[in-house]
Amino acid sequence: MIMSRLWSSSLVTSKIIFLSYVFLILISHSDTVDRSKFKTCDQSGFCKRQRNVKEGSATYEADLSQGTVSTSSVSIPVINKGNGIPFVLEVFLLEGLKFRVKLNEAKPLRPRYEVEHALLSNMREGKLEVKKAADHWALIADTNNEARVYSTPLRIEFYSGGEKVTVINGRQMLKFEHLRKKPDVNDEPNDENAANEEGKEEPEPSMWEESFGGHQDSKPRGPESVGVDIDFPFTQHLYGLPEHADSFLIKDTKGGDPYRLYNLDVFEYEVNNGMALYASVPYIMAHSPKNTVGLLWLNAAETWVDFDVGGGSNLVDSIVNLVGGGASDEKVGRTRWMSESGIIDIFVFMGPKPTDVMRQFGEVAGTAPLPQMWAIASQQCRWNYNDEEDVRQVDEGFDSHDMPYDSIWLDIEHTDGKKYFTWDSHKFGHPVEMIQNITAKGRKMVTIIDPHIKRESGYFVHEDALRDDLYVKDKTGKVYEGWCWPGAASYLDFFDPKVREYWSSRFRLENYPSTVDLYTWNDMNEPSVFNGPEVTMPKDLIHYGDWEHRDVHNLYGLLMVKATYDGQMLRSENQLRPFILTRAAYVGSHRYTSIWTGDNTAEWSHLKISIPMCLSLGIAGFAHCGADIGGFFHNPEPELILRWYQAAMFQPFVRNHAHIETKRREPWLFGDHNTALIRSAIRKRYALLPYWYTLFHQAEMEGIPPMRPIWMLFPDDVKTYNIEGQHLIGNALMVAPVLEKGASKVSVYLPGVIWYDFYNYVAYQSGYHTIPVTEDSIPVFQRGGTIIPTKQRIRRASTLMKRDPFTLFVALDENNEARGRLYIDDGQSFGYRNGKFLEVEFTFKDNKLQSRVVNPGSYATTEWVERVVILGWRNRPASITVSSKSVGTSKLEFEGTHPLVIRKPRTLITEDWEIILS
Ligand SMILES: *[C@@H]1O[C@H](CO)[C@@H](O)[C@H](O)[C@H]1NC(C)=O
């Protein structure tokens, strides 16, 4: 920052050269996303109106004298002095240091939409102490946490540990468009209606109708947008707001468009911009060494968010700042949230540490349930596997190339003419036998089920939907008809409970010819409508409850996966954990589904962006996230797919998938040399499955995702705040994938004290390192002080490794200590929720490795320990002995010092045991 000021004058010329270079890059990428199909803020009526709001312009006041107090909340009347419109402000305290702020019209012309289904229904209230002062009320949660509601002008401040961490409407940019009657065309401009318009603004034509790309939005209900500034006075490090193909650390939007949240099917999306994508989770974390807070904006309508966090929104902007000497040392992160309809409903999670915020978010939005073991192994997909013979050959290909994989997926072509829940009778004439052939090998099959229903007489879903009134309607009340994969299609209205029940029943075995062990991929559920505005539904369609599509758009995909989840439960009679992969998502979708980053491209930049995209989804609850390996569109060069495999094996969800027009991409098709390298990468994933599985269990219990930003474990280390190309798996592994073509080394930052290369055991002290890489490796480090459970006998599917023995990797810290955990259960059922599991804690201390069953559930297993590898040991022990109930006390064989490999303790994982080095 200081340097930039000194250099600013000499930079003017280089700036111009640089700008031309930027424009060249833009031109050379013009063959990808068609931006003209998607709105900018300026092309979205409400966004434009909201973005015109100036600092200090809001005229809202809270009347504290009329406020009421209950044990967990306060309710205070608010008036917009500018136009006399009354509002109600409610502030709630939820148990576990979470505040909720709701602002709605006191007497709206008709109800305004409040988000349903996204959050848990059983949130527990906290106990509030209210201290009233003349100009504010202090809402005290505990000695460290409080919220203050100020009356004139209205603003709400949040304090954690004495530091002001969040302020709502501190810059007086609240704009809440009240519902109103449409002005009569004959009305004089200065009549009562016009006088009632928000603030001093002129009514705009976009308030009552607007059009984009040849589509008319009739907007019969008029303007109803909401927007407010929310600032974080303690930090400019804000993260999250999925889904965007952008950095994890949120960028400044000054001079560019705001980040947009509106579930859209964006063909050939580009990286490094805030355009809307398939999923929308209006959630961010604000982080500093002292405090971390989470902020959830609970609104399901189209939403845009502006950020003023220093720096520039893009290259051009940051250079302008540089030249103008605009960069400053101030630390305030400023944001402004704008939604097209609904109410203002904000959650503030008070932390104070990142893991506290994750827990608090999970207590409100739920956590991702533990997947079946196969689902966290490697999956193989393609649009499309052509027929049963193709499926058989691909499946056998994995065996003949000695590559493990756990499921094969069928895309839209497996159906009879894109009619979901059917099979193409020529290509897939024996679905039950085909699936049984796959499951007999311990593998699974996944089929795609999309929400667009083919309008074809005789297709049972369509007939049922017409007969029982299950479709979304247009503004005149007629069934809406759009265009998608099947051609003419209508869309089930998942907002209607009877539609969800109907959808769930389609998954019953008798309604879908298959086997119990079949899983589901819900794609195109933004929903994608090829001939609709911005490739989705018109906003004036009508859903169950008389809500406009405008109000609920971002929830459509959530309700679809919720119904699918219930369907899978019906199908297995509650015996098997469902597996669903979704493209569209909203807050809370993670309670039902895994997610992938949609239709990416075979480019290095897309491999690189998969890390921040999954980190971002991860802090928003999506524990099980991944990107199509190799890139969906176009053909990856061998080096790219190799590096992608190596990176993806350290991401939560692993799937090779490709577009129908690409070359076949099974992992043995890139030459023998690359086949061996990819095999080695996949085997590394399978070895680590016990560790991953333990982390996914932790995700369900504590809300902490397996794939973590480094600052989640090292909150004080500011050097970790800008790292985008490196991440943690749990608290023990650091991964720094190769993300550049032709790289022979990777720059890595290691926080803390000591780390060990997980594959060659070289020890590294904390700090910056340049790590040489070969074709066969990406840098992966185990943190000193941790113990990782693995299985080293790799079989053709994870389910076949169930009874295999464990190898433990013990990485010692500077005090010669380490600890770790292992969670096991049957890998597929819900038995674990009724005690059928086992949790083991490993501790190394005073030259002794101890294993203690800390949670002795009733899960029975014969798994045992076959090897212990100790990293960081300094001299050769004289002897090593093991003792446990099953093996008694005996001497063990061992070799080496670093690593020190201890052979065959043979202890059972279900018993307590210890190994003593002397
Ligand atoms: C199932 O496997 C058997 C044995 O390999 C094979 O003959 C049969 O064609 C397979 N069935 C299907 C539908 O793929």
Side-chain angles (χ1 to χ4, degrees), residues 176-196:
F176 197 123
E177 293 179 329
H178 62 283
L179 294 165
R180 63 202 77 186
K181 293 210 186 74
K182 188 168 182 175
D184 198 304
V185 282
N186 299 319
D187 285 351
E188 293 297 313
N190 60 348
D191 77 349
E192 202 191 339
N193 250 322
N196 265 356

Side-chain angles (χ1 to χ4, degrees), residues 131-150:
K131 281 196 181 149
K132 299 179 181 180
D135 66 335
H136 76 274
W137 284 7
L139 281 49
I140 296 162
D142 66 13
T143 48
N144 280 318
N145 293 274
E146 68 176 80
R148 289 184 203 155
V149 182
Y150 286 85

Side-chain angles (χ1 to χ4, degrees), residues 462-493:
H462 179 56
E463 303 265 327
D464 293 348
L466 287 181
R467 189 190 61 235
D468 297 334
D469 190 22
L470 308 179
Y471 281 138
V472 180
K473 310 292 190 321
D474 69 14
K475 61 174 190 276
T476 70
K478 266 181 42 218
V479 168
Y480 171 68
E481 194 177 319
W483 196 263
C484 207
W485 294 129
S490 286
Y491 292 75
L492 294 173
D493 185 5

